[in-house]
Amino acid sequence: MKKMLWLGALILIIGVSLGGSVFAISKNREKMIEQNCSNMRHSLKDLQKSDVRNRIYLGTNYETLMKKFILPLNLRLVEESRPESELVEAQAKLQDLRVKFMSQFTNYSQHLEELLGVNCQNEPLNFDRKLNETRKERLVLKETVAQIEKILEDYLLIARKALE
Amino acid sequence: MKRGGKNLMILGLGAILIATTTTAVSLVLYHNSGDIYLDRSRPGFLPDKKEKPAIVTEYLFPDGGWPNKIEREKYLREYEKNLNQLKTLADPFSEKSLSDEILDLAE
C-alpha cells in the first residue's frame, strides 16, 4: 500500500513537471510579450480585419465560380449524356472544402478573438499558449485555401479536355 | 399598491424578461453560428474604400444544347479570368502574419 502511494506521488510529480514544461516559456520571451503587448494587440486587430476581408473575398469568389461555371457545365454534361466523372468528383470535393473553409474560418476567428481577449501584460504565458493555438488554426485554414485553389485549377484542366 | 398598478408592474417586468432572454439567445446564436466573424457592419469592420471588391462576373452559361466552339472557348476564358483574379490575393492566411517577427517577439 505504501509503495503504491509512493508510486502515485512520483507519477504525479513527473506529470506536473512535464505539464508545466510544455507551457513554459523563457523569461526573455515573457518580458517581450509584456513589453510589446500594446503593439501586438494593435497588429492582431488589424489582422482580424484583413482576415474578414479575405474571407469574404475568397468566399464570394468560390461561390461565383461554383454557381456560374462549375454547376452549369456539370449539369449540361449530364443533360447531354456526356458525364465527366472527374468534373463531378471535383465539384463534390469543392463543395466539401467550402464547408470546411467556412467552419475553419469560424474556428480560427474564435481563437483569434480569445487571443485578443487575453491580457498579455498580466498573462504572458496564457497569451503565448493562445498564440500557438491560433497559429495552428490559421495554418489549417491556409491549407484548405490551397486545396480549394488546386481543385479549381484542376477543374479548368479537365474542363478544357471535356470541351475540346 | 392598487391591483391595476401591480398588474402593470408584472407586465412590465415580464416584457423586460422576455426581451432580455430573446436578445441573449439571438446573441448566442449570432456568435456560435460564426456570423459575427463575417458581419462587416460591426464597429471597426466596415469596408474600406480602397478595398478590393469581390469578382462580379456577368458571364452566363449558354442556354440549351451543347455549347458551340465560341461559347466553349468563352467559358474557359471567363473561368480562367475569374481564377486568376482569385489568385491575386497574395498568400491569404499566411503564417507570416502571426509570426514572432511580425509581432516583435523574435529573440
Side-chain angles (χ1 to χ4, degrees):
Chain A
M1 185 69 185
K2 221 174 180 181
K3 269 185 185 173
M4 289 289 278
L5 278 173
W6 274 110
L7 191 68
L10 190 69
I11 291 170
L12 195 69
I13 291 166
I14 293 170
V16 168
S17 58
L18 279 178
S21 68
V22 169
F23 300 116
I25 56 171
S26 70
K27 283 278 164 206
N28 194 21
R29 186 172 175 82
E30 212 172 305
K31 209 174 161 188
M32 280 172 111
I33 292 174
E34 286 167 9
Q35 279 173 351
N36 297 333
C37 186
S38 158
N39 288 343
M40 279 192 302
R41 287 181 66 81
H42 196 76
S43 306
L44 290 172
K45 278 187 180 165
D46 282 347
L47 181 67
Q48 193 182 30
K49 284 178 203 167
S50 79
D51 283 343
V52 171
R53 272 203 299 269
N54 288 347
R55 156 68 183 90
I56 290 172
Y57 183 81
L58 290 172
T60 312
N61 293 332
Y62 293 157
E63 175 118 3
T64 302
L65 279 160
M66 188 65 140
K67 281 193 173 166
K68 293 210 163 189
F69 294 91
I70 296 173
L71 277 172
L73 178 63
N74 284 2
L75 270 174
R76 189 60 52 81
L77 283 162
V78 173
E79 279 168 11
E80 296 293 316
S81 307
R82 304 171 178 214
E84 276 285 336
S85 61
E86 280 180 291
L87 291 180
V88 176
E89 210 176 290
Q91 181 193 321
K93 270 187 201 166
L94 202 59
Q95 194 55 45
D96 285 349
L97 283 169
R98 277 177 64 212
V99 173
K100 240 185 186 180
F101 171 67
M102 285 189 269
S103 69
Q104 284 170 353
F105 180 80
T106 305
N107 211 8
Y108 160 73
S109 299
Q110 274 165 352
H111 276 83
L112 186 58
E113 198 148 282
E114 279 171 23
L115 177 67
L116 275 163
V118 177
N119 185 336
C120 34
Q121 230 149 16
N122 298 337
E123 303 172 70
L125 207 75
N126 193 17
F127 180 86
D128 199 52
R129 188 172 57 84
K130 288 266 178 215
L131 176 63
N132 284 328
E133 283 173 13
T134 312
R135 280 174 175 162
K136 279 181 199 159
E137 294 300 328
R138 191 175 174 86
L139 190 66
V140 169
L141 190 60
K142 184 192 151 114
E143 281 164 5
T144 303
V145 169
Q147 281 175 12
I148 292 178
E149 204 173 296
K150 172 85 175 57
I151 291 183
L152 288 171
E153 280 170 0
D154 289 348
Y155 187 92
L156 180 63
L157 292 176
I158 308 164
R160 241 185 246 289
K161 279 184 201 164
L163 293 175
E164 262 174 8
Chain B
M1 192 185 282
K2 282 181 186 172
R3 199 173 165 189
K6 197 179 168 188
N7 285 345
L8 200 65
M9 209 169 84
I10 292 170
L11 186 72
L13 285 174
I16 291 170
L17 188 73
I18 291 169
T20 311
T21 312
T22 49
T23 307
V25 169
S26 42
L27 278 174
V28 168
L29 287 175
Y30 175 59
H31 192 272
N32 292 352
S33 65
D35 286 351
I36 190 172
Y37 303 113
L38 299 176
D39 185 0
R40 303 210 59 197
S41 60
R42 278 197 293 166
F45 286 82
L46 289 168
D48 295 334
K49 279 181 185 166
K50 57 181 179 183
E51 193 176 311
K52 193 179 181 141
I55 305 163
V56 181
T57 179
E58 297 298 319
Y59 178 77
L60 280 176
F61 195 76
D63 284 334
W66 186 240
N68 62 36
K69 195 167 185 265
I70 296 168
E71 287 169 335
R72 294 199 306 263
E73 279 170 1
K74 189 179 177 194
Y75 171 89
L76 293 169
R77 213 172 38 245
E78 289 289 327
Y79 184 105
E80 195 167 17
K81 200 167 102 186
N82 280 272
L83 185 61
N84 287 339
Q85 267 182 293
L86 190 66
K87 287 186 201 167
T88 56
L89 202 63
D91 203 5
F93 307 110
S94 83
E95 52 264 73
K96 204 182 155 191
S97 313
L98 271 184
S99 67
D100 280 356
E101 286 71 28
I102 294 289
L103 296 175
D104 273 339
L105 289 177
E107 290 182 46

